[in-house]
Amino acid sequence: MTTMLEVTDVTAATCCAPLVREPLSAAEAEDLASVMKALADPARLRLLSIVAASENAEACVCDLIEPVGLSQPTVSHHLKVLTNAGFLSRSKRGTWAYYALVPGALDRISQVLVTS
Amino acid sequence: MTTMLEVTDVTAATCCAPLVREPLSAAEAEDLASVMKALADPARLRLLSIVAASENAEACVCDLIEPVGLSQPTVSHHLKVLTNAGFLSRSKRGTWAYYALVPGALDRISQVLVTS
């Protein structure tokens, strides 16, 4: 139990260190790859950029369907993947769901990739 | 023809603009997603970080197999994906292939993700 807590602490502490600084552990690589997978899709990247470029970095799902040219269920699926990965937060107001960029989430990945 | 050239120019010019600044075009999102896919794998992230953390950011394939605990063909496949995506360069010296981090390649992706 103590060992597990220690491992968790180390992972959390080194989550944002640039990957060029020292070799990633297997656990760190698994975590980072799962987050990268959420970004490794053209529709999700477009949805993320549309939300991010919207006023207050928030958009109604009703305004996200037409720009990407996909069905509502498909758009909702992609938004769920981005939400589960921690890049978007979801709130429901009236009939529609609204998605907002989670502050710092993209920057965290940006910091991991920087080399200089 | 003129229009196609213009589109190509715009894509090249905006390749590194943060994705939060304005919505990505379909072509930009396809390009970025294909590069992200190369990073969205734990073994490839570990290989990249081991190469990057090595002296002169270069490593012999013979020194990459044991740390990741995979077979040589599997490691070679992952290194090829990273090379094709532009993150690593390959040179052969004697019996072994050496892989080096391509300067600026990771930073380019880091810049696309930054929000501030």
Side-chain angles (χ1 to χ4, degrees), chain B residues 66-107:
Chain B
E66 188 274 330
V68 291
L70 298 169
S71 70
Q72 189 182 333
T74 302
V75 169
S76 291
H77 161 75
H78 285 311
L79 291 169
K80 191 173 181 183
V81 173
L82 289 168
T83 305
N84 289 345
F87 294 113
L88 294 178
S89 61
R90 180 184 188 275
S91 59
K92 198 150 186 195
R93 296 201 293 275
T95 319
W96 295 103
Y98 288 75
Y99 289 86
L101 195 67
V102 173
L106 281 171
D107 292 297

Side-chain angles (χ1 to χ4, degrees), chain A residues 50 59-68 96 98:
Chain A
I50 295 167
C60 173
V61 67
C62 56
D63 293 325
L64 295 171
I65 294 157
E66 188 274 331
V68 291
W96 296 103
Y98 289 75

Side-chain angles (χ1 to χ4, degrees), chain A residues 27-105:
Chain A
E28 288 168 341
E30 286 286 347
D31 286 349
L32 186 55
S34 72
V35 175
M36 290 282 188
K37 274 178 193 147
L39 296 178
D41 178 278
R44 290 201 286 273
L45 285 170
R46 292 193 78 193
L47 288 166
L48 198 57
S49 73
I50 295 167
V51 171
S54 300
E55 198 177 337
N56 298 323
E58 186 185 60
C60 173
V61 67
C62 56
D63 293 325
L64 295 171
I65 294 157
E66 188 274 331
V68 291
L70 297 169
S71 69
Q72 189 181 333
T74 302
V75 169
S76 291
H77 161 74
H78 285 311
L79 291 168
K80 192 173 182 183
V81 173
L82 288 168
T83 304
N84 289 345
F87 293 114
L88 294 178
S89 62
R90 181 184 188 276
S91 59
K92 197 151 185 195
R93 296 203 292 275
T95 318
W96 296 103
Y98 289 75
Y99 289 86
L101 196 66
V102 172

Side-chain angles (χ1 to χ4, degrees), chain B residues 34-85:
Chain B
S34 72
V35 175
M36 289 283 187
K37 274 178 193 149
L39 295 178
D41 178 278
R44 290 200 285 273
L45 286 169
R46 292 193 78 193
L47 288 166
L48 199 57
S49 73
I50 295 167
V51 170
S54 300
E55 198 178 338
N56 299 322
E58 187 185 59
C60 172
V61 67
C62 55
D63 293 325
L64 295 171
I65 295 156
E66 188 274 330
V68 291
L70 298 169
S71 70
Q72 189 182 333
T74 302
V75 169
S76 291
H77 161 75
H78 285 311
L79 291 169
K80 191 173 181 183
V81 173
L82 289 168
T83 305
N84 289 345

Side-chain angles (χ1 to χ4, degrees), chain B residues 1-32:
Chain B
M1 191 63 171
T2 309
T3 309
M4 280 189 67
L5 281 172
E6 279 170 6
V7 170
T8 307
D9 286 351
V10 169
T11 307
T14 59
C15 80
C16 305
L19 65 78
V20 300
R21 195 175 296 167
E22 56 182 315
L24 291 173
S25 70
E28 287 167 341
E30 287 285 349
D31 285 351
L32 186 54

